[in-house]
Amino acid sequence: MGPDVPLLNDYKKEFFLKRFPQTVLGGPRLKLGYCAPPYIYVNQIILFLTPWVLGGVGTLLYQLGVMKDYCTAALSGGLMFVTALILQMTNLYARQKTMTVERMQIHSTLTDEDEFEFSSCIGSETVKFIIPGKKYIINTVFHSLLAGVMCGLGTWYLLPNRITLLYSNIGGTVVIFVFGWVTVCIGEYSLIINTATETATFQALDTYEITALMRPFYIFVFIAVDLAHRFAVNAPILEQTNQILHVIFLFLPFLWAMGILPPLDALFLWGMEQLLEFGLGGSPMSSNTKLLVMFLISAGTAIASYFIPSTLGVLLFMTGFGFILSLNLSEIGFAFKHTVISHLASSKSKNMQRCLRVQFGWRELMFYLTVLTVALVEASLLHQFAGFSSFSKARPQTIASYVLIVLLIMMWILREIQRVYLFGVFRNPFYPKDVRTVTVFMEKQRRLMKVGVVRRILLTLVSPFAMIAFLSLDRALQNLHSVSVCIGFTRIFRMVWQHTENALVDIVIVSVAQMLVLNPDLWWNRSLDTGIRLLLVGILRDRLLRFVSKLQFAMAILLTSWTEEKQRRKSTATLITLNIVFFPILLTFVAISALLSSPLLPLFTLPVFLVGFPRPIRSWPGPVGATACVCSDTVYYQQLIPSLVVALQAALAAGSLGLSLPGSHYLCRFQDRLMWILVLEKGFTYCCVNIKGLELQETSCHTAEAHRVDEIFEMAFEHQEHTKILSPNHHFGHILTPCTVLPVRLYSDARNVLSGIIDSPENLKHLKDDFIKVLVWMLVQYCYNKSKMCKSLGNAGKSNKGSFPETHNIGAIERSRTSREEDSSSADTIEDWTDDSDIFDPELSSKIKDRREAGWLGTTPKVRLSIPGSVETESQNVPQEMSTEDKLHKAIVLGLPAVDKGKQQVLPQVEFSCSYSELLSIPEEWRSTPVPASKVHEMRQRFPEEWYHFILSQLDFFYLKEKPANLLEDLMKDKALKDLYIHGVSSCCFGLFELDNAVPAPSHVFRAYTSGIPWSGGLDWLTGKPELFQLALKAFRYTFKLMVDKASLGPVENFKELVNYLEEYENDWYIGLASDLEWQQAVLQEKPYLFSLGHDPVTGIYTGRVLTLQELLVQVGKLNDEAVRGQWANLSWELLYATNDDEERYSIQAHPVLLRNLTVQAADPPLGYPVYSSELLHLPLF
């Protein structure tokens, strides 16, 4: 697609132009897209202005001195409440009327789907169109009451005398009064008449009608400040705030329309997350429930610390709870619950408990208790015995400051030295240069692994205790504590464990500032204690990093819109010019976005930037890993996730992935697989992540971006032989920065062209002979394993009577049927058919089912045959019953070759010369063969007798307690047993090849491999024995793989080598089709090798696909967090509000720098479409 693909197609553009004015005005539909009566617009305008009229009545009475201001508010609010109830009752009446009296409406197929027919000004259709009503009765009453309160308080808020007292300006009073009432009318309309679709949409569905409360909520926030100012005495700060908010109140419609103010659900989640992280020292949580619980517990801890009378008690309380709350409490509780269950339940629960102890057990419990004890002892000793003199170079806290500075420098160096790029700019000279193989890389990385261990010790043990020493020595904890001390120190004592690296940076900054600013009268030293200083520094540090990241994202969009030719649109030059001219405004938007910790939204991913509404750091409202677009490729991600988690665990603990915080995004790449990792939660020695797998069937956009990812990783990890020391990162500025490679156990995917192998006459000539050998080996192994299993089951049940071979004669008569019985069944079928019968009629099928039930209960299942061109409608859930169509084919085989069933050979009762031959005899239902006697005789000549004897000689019959010494010789001499195998092999060959002596064509080989052979009499008989058919198919696939191996590795020298090949295929390989269910099961079971045959019908090329399970290197890079959040914010706006779901829209096209297509894929469904999304993964970082 070209760069000038429409941002919105014509239909969506018209839809958007109708929806956006409705959003701006709060719900009135003044642009319908079709001709409507004038009263539709007049009614909406009247309802829109009704709150102003009712409020105007009260305002007039107040201005005339008739009523007090609060009485005026009560009067206007009461009138609005009654009006709102009347409107809602009118809607209920209109709905009941249309339900009682149904009026036939004729809709034209040429009209739009949202066109209505209106009968009168107050008709039921008019009422339902203008006032859609509420889903729930409780909302009808609650929203009406809320509308009355808002109108009353709005009247009080916008009284002209009150506004004049604030500004002392008549012109300003008029402007605020007029436009303030417009804001109130918009809020009232969206609450009680018709709720507009908001541009700030977090949830796809508004189940409980929360969206209607969004605009009234913000109006109440402004009114609350005014009420506080009214009743407060001598509060100049409140007065200034109220003056500012009265002006901002006029711009609320603009903020709502631009989607800057968040919906209520996102607002409360974001607010709790921000308070938990920056006010209480916690971490963003991976779910809404955990966020709420952790917020309440953390807030309760901060409040409780205020009421502890002892300074030592406060210190120990903060230290202890700071450590405890930084642990992975949900996982600890989960493990504890199952530990208790394991003592009360069966061994099944015990096994589950053992699996959980891998992450949390007695070792971890003792470690945590030891660390907690040492921390409490350290804090108490330093608090009691250290001096608390004024800050000087000789003070103990100064020594702790220097120690922390040294620790920060050491940890920073040890972290950066493990990454492939220093600062993301220069190539790390200490990083291994040859990272193409696991063994070479692991050998060269031993030094870096030692560095990672040292850093882990410094991070986990040394740094927290050093920071506790610094905090315990602070003089603010020696005096009676205040609210600020409780908030600041409760936060930092938890942050020491929850975010150790960030806490270390904050304390070092405060320490350095305190060393440099020696003036005790300075505001920084006089008014703020250490806890509040650390809180302010933490917020500034976070916002500054976000500002830089957002600015980098904005510059990347701005520059690539011109430098990337495929992104260069006709409007690009104009947009770039506007951004340069209004660059201060752009910086303001970036700064506001950083301050609010909200995404910077590039509209349609163009250089048109808006401030997105604040939302939780995980961006999506649903539970983690709840949905994914599952397909056949999902199993490849399911298989590699456990190994990837182990590798990630080591990398995160060592620091080779850089500073990983909640909200960090990583991209992993191996061959055609792309794994998207999102860090959701982090604390002391644990991290919670979500891993998504992106599609393997690459589109053109996916391929373009994946190629750029490969290029970046290859430049970083593989093209280092001739580069200089500290060579620059040629892809600096890209949102992806390579970090390291991880050894992961997964499948490598190799595809080879089989030209010259599958079409070689020499190879095809030996294919049939090899197939006979493989089939003989397969049948012998099948019978041997079956007898072994029956013997073990018989011994376990103690139910065998007489010798073991005699047990196989049971049920032989029941399983054998004559062809006359089969023909009589077909005759019965014909009797059920009439001229009006339908082969797809389920009633006829059930009618025949009763008649045949007694006679067909024990028969062998048949493979159903469909009439060419027909559609099968019968259920596949009852394979033991023959469908009506099958009976029709059995009686009159339409369009298919005739089969003379009377000529099928049924072997007489076999008499073995060796009594143990019954152990290896093929099942009796397989002994009837459709092969003519002449062909059987021909097969007897071709039968590989030496191979047959060699296979028998490899059997040991270890499960037999007593066996003769010459057992194997007797089995080899038993001609009856050999004849059984000759007939079995003949039947299978006849089904697959019709015993044609000609060399099979490659197309026939491919059809046989994929079980797509054209119908024949032999195939009909073979598919009637599903187990035998599967054995024959398996043998043929083994034979084909053997042919490929012989062509690649050389011929087979002897029988022993051939057996080794077959045993390897049986034990270590799955040979089949990638579309098979067994293929997916083999991947999940981690079969060492998988092989599949493919064919391109366009080029006619046959390909072989081999999956090999081995430990390989997966490349990992860190993504720009704000670039991902910004693109996801645009995706949410574009799909949930503009409903722009066009698969070829501009914002989903390939962008090699922003990775736009991959980022859209990685979003949570239904907006994104990852093929795999893991549940929440808990990674211990010991």
Side-chain angles (χ1 to χ4, degrees), residues 200-224:
T201 302
F202 188 57
Q203 300 274 2
L205 298 176
D206 183 23
T207 306
Y208 302 104
E209 298 176 314
I210 299 176
T211 305
L213 304 176
M214 172 184 164
R215 302 193 183 200
F217 171 81
Y218 288 106
I219 292 175
F220 280 124
V221 170
F222 283 75
I223 293 175

Side-chain angles (χ1 to χ4, degrees), residues 276-561:
L276 178 61
E277 183 176 3
F278 299 103
L280 301 170
S283 166
M285 293 287 115
S286 55
S287 68
N288 298 338
T289 304
K290 289 179 65 176
L291 177 61
L292 177 61
V293 172
M294 185 57 70
F295 175 77
L296 294 177
I297 294 175
S298 302
T301 302
I303 295 172
S305 65
Y306 179 76
F307 295 98
I308 299 176
S310 169
T311 56
L312 179 61
V314 170
L315 178 63
L316 295 179
F317 182 82
M318 291 176 177
T319 305
F321 270 90
F323 174 78
I324 293 172
L325 293 179
S326 68
L327 302 178
N328 192 0
L329 297 180
S330 61
E331 193 70 6
I332 293 174
F334 192 64
F336 176 76
K337 181 181 72 173
H338 284 276
T339 302
V340 174
I341 292 176
S342 66
H343 291 291
L344 305 175
S346 61
S347 60
K348 182 177 180 180
S349 297
K350 292 181 182 178
N351 292 335
M352 184 182 300
Q353 186 262 342
R354 288 193 197 101
C355 294
L356 290 171
R357 283 196 173 189
V358 173
Q359 293 191 3
F360 187 82
W362 291 109
R363 181 176 65 88
E364 290 78 7
L365 180 61
M366 295 305 299
F367 172 74
Y368 289 149
L369 290 177
T370 303
V371 172
L372 176 60
T373 304
V374 173
L376 293 175
V377 171
E378 178 195 14
S380 60
L381 291 177
L382 291 176
H383 178 74
Q384 285 185 340
F385 301 111
F388 292 90
S389 59
S390 61
F391 194 92
S392 66
K393 294 185 179 180
R395 188 177 165 207
Q397 196 177 30
T398 308
I399 300 175
S401 300
Y402 287 120
V403 172
L404 291 176
I405 293 173
V406 173
L407 280 175
L408 176 62
I409 295 173
M410 290 179 60
M411 289 181 57
W412 177 77
I413 293 174
L414 294 178
R415 185 185 69 200
E416 288 296 323
I417 207 173
Q418 297 182 73
R419 303 175 65 188
V420 65
Y421 285 117
L422 299 174
F423 316 109
V425 180
F426 300 105
R427 182 55 160 73
N428 182 4
F430 300 99
Y431 196 84
K433 290 183 172 57
D434 187 4
V435 293
R436 298 185 183 183
T437 60
V438 177
T439 54
V440 175
F441 173 74
M442 296 303 292
E443 183 178 351
K444 292 185 177 182
Q445 205 194 21
R446 287 179 181 175
R447 289 181 299 175
L448 294 183
M449 293 175 66
K450 295 177 182 178
V451 169
V453 172
V454 173
R455 183 186 177 276
R456 188 185 310 181
I457 295 173
L458 293 178
L459 178 67
T460 307
L461 297 177
V462 180
S463 296
F465 290 114
M467 286 186 282
I468 287 178
F470 174 86
L471 296 172
S472 301
L473 293 170
D474 194 84
R475 63 176 178 268
L477 293 175
Q478 186 68 13
N479 305 321
L480 291 176
H481 46 279
S482 60
V483 175
S484 63
V485 170
C486 291
I487 293 176
F489 279 92
T490 300
R491 169 189 175 274
I492 192 59
F493 270 108
R494 178 174 178 182
M495 195 173 173
V496 162
W497 306 100
Q498 191 92 48
H499 302 292
T500 306
E501 293 182 78
N502 286 343
L504 185 59
V505 173
D506 296 346
I507 292 178
V508 167
I509 292 175
V510 170
S511 300
V512 172
Q514 200 164 350
M515 291 177 186
L516 298 177
V517 182
L518 298 177
N519 185 4
D521 296 329
L522 197 65
W523 169 80
W524 176 264
N525 288 330
R526 185 184 70 254
S527 302
L528 301 177
D529 58 72
T530 304
I532 298 301
R533 293 174 198 159
L534 290 170
L535 188 149
L536 294 177
V537 168
I539 294 176
L540 290 176
R541 171 190 45 79
D542 178 81
R543 287 343 190 218
L544 181 60
L545 293 177
R546 292 189 184 279
F547 177 82
V548 173
S549 182
K550 292 175 188 293
L551 187 61
Q552 181 184 356
F553 171 50
M555 291 298 101
I557 292 181
L558 197 61
L559 294 176
T560 56
S561 64

Side-chain angles (χ1 to χ4, degrees), residues 560-665:
T560 56
S561 64
W562 182 262
T563 57
E564 296 284 336
E565 289 188 9
K566 293 186 177 180
Q567 308 302 322
R568 195 181 301 168
R569 299 171 59 88
K570 294 179 181 179
S571 59
T572 299
T574 304
L575 293 176
I576 293 176
T577 303
L578 291 175
N579 276 277
I580 294 174
V581 172
F582 297 102
F583 189 72
I585 297 178
L586 173 60
L587 286 180
T588 303
F589 280 8
V590 174
I592 293 174
S593 177
L595 288 174
L596 295 176
S597 187
S598 61
L600 182 67
L601 192 154
L603 200 62
F604 298 105
T605 64
L606 292 172
V608 179
F609 300 101
L610 302 175
V611 179
F613 66 86
R615 65 198 80 192
I617 201 71
R618 63 181 185 273
S619 296
W620 308 112
V624 175
T627 55
C629 303
V630 179
C631 65
S632 59
D633 296 333
T634 304
V635 293
Y636 301 110
Y637 291 108
Q638 292 175 334
Q639 178 274 324
L640 67 85
I641 287 301
S643 179
L644 178 60
V645 165
V646 174
L648 275 176
Q649 178 179 330
L652 288 170
S656 56
L657 297 184
L659 182 61
S660 59
L661 299 172
S664 297
H665 296 262

Side-chain angles (χ1 to χ4, degrees), residues 872-918:
E872 298 186 14
T873 60
E874 293 293 332
S875 173
Q876 300 289 337
N877 297 329
V878 193
Q880 295 294 339
E881 297 177 359
M882 180 174 285
S883 65
T884 306
E885 301 97 306
D886 291 342
K887 287 193 173 183
L888 175 62
H889 285 299
K890 200 174 186 65
I892 44 173
V893 185
L894 300 178
L896 297 174
V899 180
D900 189 358
K901 297 188 180 232
K903 291 186 179 181
Q904 289 188 4
Q905 299 182 20
V906 180
L907 299 181
Q909 187 68 30
V910 180
E911 295 182 1
F912 297 109
S913 61
C914 176
S915 60
Y916 287 89
S917 296
E918 189 71 36

Side-chain angles (χ1 to χ4, degrees), residues 204 620 1128 1131-1133 1135-1136 1145 1160-1161 1163-1170:
W620 308 112
W1128 280 356
L1131 176 68
S1132 178
W1133 176 87
L1135 266 66
L1136 296 182
R1145 63 184 183 274
V1160 169
Q1161 287 186 51
D1164 279 8
L1167 305 186
Y1169 45 97

